[in-house]
Amino acid sequence: MDTITILNHYRTRLLSDDNLVQILARIYRDGAKSENELSADLKTKPIDLQESIASLFRGNLLRLTTNARWITTELGDYIMARLGISTVTARSILREQKIDVEEWQFLDACLAKTSDNDVVWSADQTSLLRTAVHLMPWFSKHKDWTKSSRVRLLYSTIIGLNPYYQKLGPSAFCRHIVDRLDATSPMRPSMEYALPKKSFRIYHAYCTQALHDVERSNMLFMHGDLPSPKDTSVVGPLTLVRMLSAVLSKRCDQSLEAASRSTEVNYMKLWTRLQLWDAGVDRRCASVLSALGRDDEARQSKKAGGLTALFLNVAQSTNPQECLHQWISSAEMSEDEPLERGATTTALLWSRALARLRLELVSGKLDVLPQRQQTNLFSRLEELSATFKERLISPRLSFEHPPLNQTPRK
Amino acid sequence: MKIRRKHPTSFEAEVERLRCDALARIDRIPIAALIWGPAQNGKTATSDVRSRLRDVLLKHGHLARFSEELLDPNSRRSNFAQQVAQAEAHDIVFSIPDSPGSIAEIHDFARIPTLAHKIVAFLDRQWDDGYSNQSLVQMQSVATCRIQTYDSSHLPGCVIDSALDMIGKLQEFYYIGGRRF
C-alpha cells in the first residue's frame, strides 16, 4: 500500500467535520450549486462556507464548473456511496415524488435495502433516480404520460434495473421486501412500516412489469425500435433515463452494458426513434446536464445526436480489443448509408473511433494482437480514413491522429 | 466556523447519523506502525518522543512497535533485510532520528521503491544546514519518503500530533476503501 501517496492525496479528513459532510451531501443530492445557493440551503452566511468549500476543493472532493458552481468529483461521489449517503439521497429524492403512500413505502424499503458495501449499485441507483426525477416534469407534458407511467418509471428505475432483483426474480424479491414490511412477519426488523398481506399481489405485478419495461428498453436500445406502439409512454423515457444517467455517472447499468456489448447498436436509428418521440430530446438532456453542473457535456448534448455521442464515450470505456470489432463493423456498415440529418453525428463518431484506434495502434496499446493483424488493421484504418474524408460534410472536423506515414511499432 | 442548524431537515439528520456511525467504525480500524529512532536507554528528548508515540498509538488500539524488538539475532538474514521485511509488513513507518548519522540511515531506505512510500521521517530543523537533511528534503517527491521538519522546542506535541493526524487519515481512507475492522 502506497501510504505516502494516500497521505498526499487524501488531504482532507472529511468525516471528522460535520460541516464538510453536510455541504458535500447537499451538493451530491441537488447537483451543482453556487455558494449563495448553498448558504440559503444550509441557512448560513456565504463567508462561513468559504473555508469549508476551500477545504473540500483542496481535498479533491469538489470542483468548480464554468458557471461558478460547485459539483462533486468522482472521489466525492465514491465517498458518498461508501458512506451510504447515496442511499439516503435516493430516499430523499423519492420522498418528494407525488405517489401513493403504499407505493412509496415499498419503493423506499427497496432503497433502504441497498447496503453501503454495494457501492456500485448504490451510486448507479441514485444516479438513475436523480436523472429520472429531473426529466419527469418534461415527460409529464406528453399526451400519453399518466400517473401510472410515473409509478412504472420509478419501479423500473429502482427495482427493474436492480441487479439483485434481476437475479432473484419478482417472487423472491417481493417476498423479501414485503416480509420486511409485514407487521406479522418474524423477519420484520422494526415497527416503521405496516402493510396488509393482500398488497403482495399488487407489488408483485408492479415488479414483474418493471422487469418487462427494462427488457423492452433493452430491445429499443439494441434495435432502435419498439415491439409495440403502446410501449412508448414508459420504455422510451426509461431508455433516455438510462443513457443520460450513464453519461452523468460515466457508467452504464449492467443490462445496458450487456446490451451495448452484445450487439452492434445502431445509434443513428436509436437517436432517430427518440427524436420521433420528442424532437427536443437533446435540448432536454442538455438542460439536465447543465442543472447538474456538467456544462461541457451540456454543450455537446445540444448538437444533433449529441447525447448518443456522449453515451458512446461511456460505453466505449472498455477493453480496446472489444471495441475494435464494434467500431470497424459499424464504420463499414455506415459507408453505404446516406448521410442526411445526423451526418454530423456519424462524422463525429467515425472521426473519434478512427482517431482513437490509430493512436492506440501506433502507441503500442494493441500489441496483444499479432503483428500481421496489426499491419492489416493499420492498412484498413488508412482506407477508412480516405473513404471518410470523401464523405465528410463539415471540413472543420479535425483528425486527432498521427501522420499517415507512421507505422505500428515492430 | 460551525454551520448552525437549529432545526436540521430529515436529510441533514440522516447524513449526520451516518457520519457518526462511520466515525465510530473508523475509530476501530487499527493501523500497524513501525517506529524507528534512538534507543530507549539514550534518555534523549527524541527517545522520549519515540516512547510516547508508541504508547499513544497503543492506547488508541493501533499496533505500534520498535524495530529492535522485532530483530531476530539468530536469523541468517542481515539486520537491514529484517528491517526491510518489517517495514513492508507495517502500514506506516515513523522515523525520528536524533543525529545527522542516524538521518543518513534513512537515506538507505528512502531510495528503496517498495519502502520509501511508507516512511515518514521527522527531522529536526537544527540540522537543516547539513547534507543529510537537505538532500532528503530536496529528494522528496511522490516516489520517495515524506519529510516533516520540526522545531525541537515544540516536542513532543509536534511529532505526536502530526503522527496521529496521519494515522487518522489512513483510518478514514482504509474505511472508505472497504476495510471494516
Side-chain angles (χ1 to χ4, degrees):
Chain A
M1 178 64 72
D2 194 337
T3 305
I4 302 305
T5 302
I6 294 169
L7 292 173
N8 286 339
H9 287 87
Y10 192 72
R11 294 185 279 268
T12 302
R13 287 183 65 178
L14 173 71
L15 294 170
S16 307
D17 189 328
D18 61 336
N19 288 346
L20 299 184
V21 175
Q22 288 293 344
I23 292 169
L24 198 65
R26 185 59 68 115
I27 294 173
Y28 178 77
R29 187 190 73 169
D30 296 342
K33 284 194 177 288
S34 64
E35 287 179 18
N36 289 336
E37 287 168 338
L38 265 176
S39 74
D41 288 341
L42 296 172
K43 297 181 177 46
T44 187
K45 295 175 188 169
I47 196 160
D48 295 336
L49 279 178
Q50 281 170 6
E51 189 181 334
S52 298
I53 289 176
S55 184
L56 289 168
F57 175 72
R58 281 197 301 273
N60 193 26
L61 298 163
L62 287 182
R63 63 181 176 93
L64 196 61
T65 68
T66 50
N67 291 339
R69 293 181 300 167
W70 295 97
I71 59 172
T72 51
T73 60
E74 284 186 41
L75 177 61
D77 290 345
Y78 177 82
I79 292 174
M80 291 290 101
R82 179 59 82 183
L83 293 177
I85 291 176
S86 59
T87 302
V88 170
T89 296
R91 295 177 76 183
S92 172
I93 292 172
L94 180 68
R95 202 176 297 132
E96 293 166 358
Q97 301 312 302
K98 295 183 178 64
I99 53 177
D100 293 340
V101 65
E102 291 86 3
E103 277 140 10
W104 168 78
Q105 282 180 332
F106 186 83
L107 291 171
D108 187 66
C110 293
L111 290 174
K113 272 302 296 171
T114 306
S115 164
D116 66 347
N117 284 328
D118 190 358
V119 175
V120 174
W121 170 239
S122 173
D124 287 350
Q125 184 179 67
T126 304
S127 175
L128 285 161
L129 186 57
R130 188 193 294 122
T131 309
V133 162
H134 270 86
L135 287 170
M136 203 86 79
W138 169 49
F139 293 156
S140 59
K141 290 179 182 168
H142 283 254
K143 59 178 181 352
D144 48 3
W145 183 266
T146 62
K147 186 181 171 188
S148 167
S149 304
R150 172 192 291 266
V151 174
R152 274 177 63 187
L153 183 64
L154 289 173
Y155 265 83
S156 51
T157 305
I158 294 171
I159 297 174
L161 292 169
N162 185 326
Y164 302 103
Y165 167 68
Q166 290 172 356
K167 288 173 188 167
L168 288 173
S171 296
F173 185 85
C174 271
R175 174 51 59 200
H176 180 64
I177 298 294
V178 171
D179 280 348
R180 186 184 160 85
L181 299 174
D182 193 339
T184 60
S185 167
M187 289 178 62
R188 195 175 68 83
S190 73
M191 296 292 292
E192 194 177 348
Y193 300 105
L195 194 70
K197 283 185 181 178
K198 65 181 181 183
S199 297
F200 174 82
R201 185 173 48 81
I202 298 169
Y203 292 131
H204 187 273
Y206 266 121
C207 289
T208 308
Q209 179 68 55
L211 202 56
H212 290 158
D213 287 340
V214 169
E215 284 172 357
R216 289 187 175 89
S217 170
N218 291 340
M219 288 171 66
L220 171 62
F221 177 78
M222 288 192 290
H223 305 297
D225 216 338
L226 287 165
S228 165
K230 67 180 179 182
D231 284 333
T232 311
S233 67
V234 174
V235 174
L238 176 61
T239 308
L240 191 60
V241 165
R242 296 168 77 189
M243 290 177 70
L244 185 56
S245 175
V247 171
L248 286 164
S249 64
K250 297 195 191 321
R251 189 175 50 242
C252 300
D253 61 77
Q254 285 187 13
S255 53
L256 194 65
E257 186 179 356
S260 69
R261 290 191 187 201
S262 64
T263 186
E264 288 145 10
V265 177
N266 191 330
Y267 288 101
M268 279 300 305
K269 195 173 178 187
L270 173 63
W271 178 71
T272 305
R273 187 67 184 82
L274 292 173
Q275 282 256 308
L276 280 175
W277 177 68
D278 192 304
V281 64
D282 288 315
R283 280 183 289 109
R284 302 295 178 191
C285 293
S287 69
V288 173
L289 287 164
S290 181
L292 294 172
R294 307 289 282 271
D295 299 321
D296 290 339
E297 284 107 326
R299 271 192 294 276
Q300 292 176 51
S301 176
K302 282 179 187 167
K303 299 174 190 171
L307 175 66
T308 50
L310 287 169
F311 176 80
L312 268 165
N313 281 338
V314 175
Q316 284 180 347
S317 299
T318 57
N319 186 324
Q321 209 161 358
E322 288 175 311
C323 284
L324 204 60
H325 173 68
Q326 276 188 359
W327 276 111
I328 296 235
S329 301
S330 64
E332 285 177 348
M333 281 168 58
S334 301
E335 275 184 350
D336 296 327
E337 286 178 8
L339 293 177
E340 296 168 349
R341 194 179 177 208
T344 308
T345 304
T346 306
L348 189 63
L349 298 178
W350 284 11
S351 73
R352 284 182 180 175
L354 291 172
R356 190 177 298 115
L357 283 172
R358 288 178 68 92
L359 273 171
E360 287 178 349
L361 189 61
V362 171
S363 64
K365 286 185 182 174
L366 297 178
D367 277 353
V368 293
L369 299 175
Q371 184 60 41
R372 189 174 174 182
Q373 203 169 340
Q374 287 186 47
T375 308
N376 290 341
L377 174 61
F378 191 79
S379 303
R380 185 70 179 123
L381 283 173
E382 286 193 87
E383 288 170 14
L384 284 171
S385 296
T387 308
F388 174 64
K389 272 187 181 175
E390 289 172 11
R391 289 175 176 261
L392 195 62
I393 290 177
S394 170
R396 287 174 295 176
L397 283 175
S398 60
F399 286 96
E400 299 167 359
H401 61 77
L404 286 174
N405 58 357
Q406 209 165 343
T407 53
R409 292 187 308 143
K410 298 266 187 239
Chain B
M1 187 173 184
K2 187 174 173 64
I3 296 170
R4 292 192 176 83
R5 289 178 290 278
K6 282 187 182 176
H7 304 288
T9 63
S10 59
F11 178 73
E12 287 170 1
E14 189 64 15
V15 166
E16 178 63 11
R17 184 187 69 79
L18 285 174
R19 187 189 73 88
C20 293
D21 287 350
L23 274 180
R25 290 192 287 267
I26 285 169
D27 283 343
R28 293 197 292 270
I29 294 178
I31 302 295
L34 199 57
I35 308 174
W36 291 345
Q40 294 300 286
N41 55 11
K43 305 288 183 205
T44 60
T46 323
S47 64
D48 179 56
V49 169
R50 196 180 173 218
S51 291
R52 286 199 197 197
L53 178 59
R54 181 180 63 171
D55 294 342
V56 164
L57 291 177
L58 287 172
K59 190 178 165 188
H60 281 82
H62 302 296
L63 178 67
R65 296 191 287 195
F66 295 157
S67 266
E68 55 266 35
E69 295 168 345
L70 301 172
L71 283 174
D72 179 5
N74 299 321
S75 171
R76 56 189 178 91
R77 300 294 177 195
S78 66
N79 285 354
F80 180 80
Q82 289 187 59
Q83 277 188 291
V84 168
Q86 290 164 18
E88 283 193 6
H90 287 71
D91 293 316
I92 192 167
V93 178
F94 294 118
S95 179
I96 316 173
D98 68 344
S99 65
S102 52
I103 295 171
E105 289 181 24
I106 300 174
H107 283 262
D108 287 343
F109 296 94
R111 296 174 196 263
I112 301 175
T114 53
L115 282 193
H117 57 77
K118 282 191 179 184
I119 300 173
V120 178
F122 292 96
L123 304 182
D124 193 329
R125 287 188 198 133
Q126 68 171 311
W127 295 308
D128 275 354
D129 292 337
Y131 170 81
S132 287
N133 261 29
Q134 284 183 22
S135 64
L136 276 177
V137 171
Q138 287 164 10
M139 196 176 64
Q140 190 178 199
S141 70
V142 295
T144 62
C145 71
R146 190 176 196 174
I147 306 296
Q148 300 257 169
T149 58
Y150 65 88
D151 186 335
S152 57
S153 63
H154 296 149
L155 286 175
C158 55
V159 170
I160 293 177
D161 293 346
S162 177
L164 285 176
D165 183 62
M166 289 185 227
I167 294 288
K169 281 185 184 171
L170 288 179
Q171 284 179 299
E172 271 197 37
F173 182 86
Y174 289 154
Y175 178 84
I176 288 166
R179 204 185 274 193
R180 288 291 185 273
F181 64 90

